[in-house]
Short mmCIF file of all heavy atoms in Angstrom, two decimals:
data_model
loop_
_atom_site.label_atom_id
_atom_site.label_comp_id
_atom_site.label_asym_id
_atom_site.label_seq_id
_atom_site.Cartn_x
_atom_site.Cartn_y
_atom_site.Cartn_z
N GLY S 68 -14.51 7.89 -11.71
CA GLY S 68 -13.84 8.93 -12.48
C GLY S 68 -14.57 10.26 -12.42
O GLY S 68 -14.36 11.12 -13.26
N GLY S 69 -15.46 10.42 -11.45
CA GLY S 69 -16.17 11.69 -11.27
C GLY S 69 -17.63 11.64 -11.63
O GLY S 69 -18.39 12.55 -11.28
N CYS S 70 -18.09 10.59 -12.31
CA CYS S 70 -19.48 10.53 -12.77
C CYS S 70 -20.49 10.51 -11.62
O CYS S 70 -21.50 11.20 -11.67
CB CYS S 70 -19.70 9.30 -13.63
SG CYS S 70 -18.70 9.22 -15.11
N VAL S 71 -20.25 9.70 -10.61
CA VAL S 71 -21.24 9.52 -9.55
C VAL S 71 -20.68 9.82 -8.16
O VAL S 71 -21.35 9.58 -7.17
CB VAL S 71 -21.85 8.10 -9.57
CG1 VAL S 71 -22.54 7.84 -10.90
CG2 VAL S 71 -20.81 7.04 -9.27
N GLU S 72 -19.49 10.38 -8.10
CA GLU S 72 -18.86 10.62 -6.80
C GLU S 72 -19.74 11.46 -5.87
O GLU S 72 -19.83 11.18 -4.68
CB GLU S 72 -17.49 11.27 -6.97
CG GLU S 72 -16.32 10.32 -6.90
CD GLU S 72 -16.17 9.44 -8.13
OE1 GLU S 72 -16.93 9.63 -9.11
OE2 GLU S 72 -15.30 8.57 -8.13
N GLY S 73 -20.37 12.48 -6.40
CA GLY S 73 -21.20 13.35 -5.56
C GLY S 73 -22.30 12.58 -4.85
O GLY S 73 -22.53 12.77 -3.64
N ALA S 74 -22.98 11.71 -5.57
CA ALA S 74 -24.05 10.91 -4.97
C ALA S 74 -23.49 9.92 -3.95
O ALA S 74 -24.09 9.70 -2.90
CB ALA S 74 -24.83 10.16 -6.06
N VAL S 75 -22.34 9.33 -4.25
CA VAL S 75 -21.73 8.37 -3.33
C VAL S 75 -21.28 9.09 -2.06
O VAL S 75 -21.51 8.60 -0.95
CB VAL S 75 -20.56 7.62 -4.01
CG1 VAL S 75 -19.82 6.74 -3.01
CG2 VAL S 75 -21.07 6.79 -5.18
N VAL S 76 -20.67 10.25 -2.20
CA VAL S 76 -20.22 11.01 -1.03
C VAL S 76 -21.41 11.37 -0.15
O VAL S 76 -21.34 11.24 1.07
CB VAL S 76 -19.43 12.27 -1.45
CG1 VAL S 76 -19.21 13.21 -0.27
CG2 VAL S 76 -18.09 11.88 -2.08
N ALA S 77 -22.52 11.80 -0.73
CA ALA S 77 -23.70 12.16 0.05
C ALA S 77 -24.19 10.97 0.87
O ALA S 77 -24.53 11.12 2.06
CB ALA S 77 -24.80 12.68 -0.88
N GLU S 78 -24.25 9.79 0.28
CA GLU S 78 -24.67 8.59 1.01
C GLU S 78 -23.63 8.22 2.07
O GLU S 78 -23.96 7.83 3.18
CB GLU S 78 -24.85 7.41 0.04
CG GLU S 78 -26.00 7.59 -0.93
CD GLU S 78 -27.36 7.35 -0.30
OE1 GLU S 78 -27.44 6.74 0.78
OE2 GLU S 78 -28.35 7.81 -0.89
N ALA S 79 -22.37 8.33 1.72
CA ALA S 79 -21.29 7.91 2.61
C ALA S 79 -21.20 8.77 3.86
O ALA S 79 -20.86 8.26 4.94
CB ALA S 79 -19.96 7.92 1.87
N VAL S 80 -21.51 10.05 3.76
CA VAL S 80 -21.49 10.92 4.94
C VAL S 80 -22.50 10.40 5.96
O VAL S 80 -22.20 10.33 7.16
CB VAL S 80 -21.76 12.39 4.55
CG1 VAL S 80 -22.05 13.25 5.78
CG2 VAL S 80 -20.57 12.95 3.77
N ASP S 81 -23.68 10.00 5.51
CA ASP S 81 -24.69 9.43 6.42
C ASP S 81 -24.21 8.12 7.01
O ASP S 81 -24.42 7.85 8.20
CB ASP S 81 -26.01 9.18 5.67
CG ASP S 81 -26.73 10.46 5.29
OD1 ASP S 81 -26.42 11.52 5.88
OD2 ASP S 81 -27.60 10.40 4.40
#
Side-chain angles (χ1 to χ4, degrees):
C70 299
V71 300
E72 262 73 5
V75 174
V76 168
E78 293 284 342
V80 167
D81 290 342

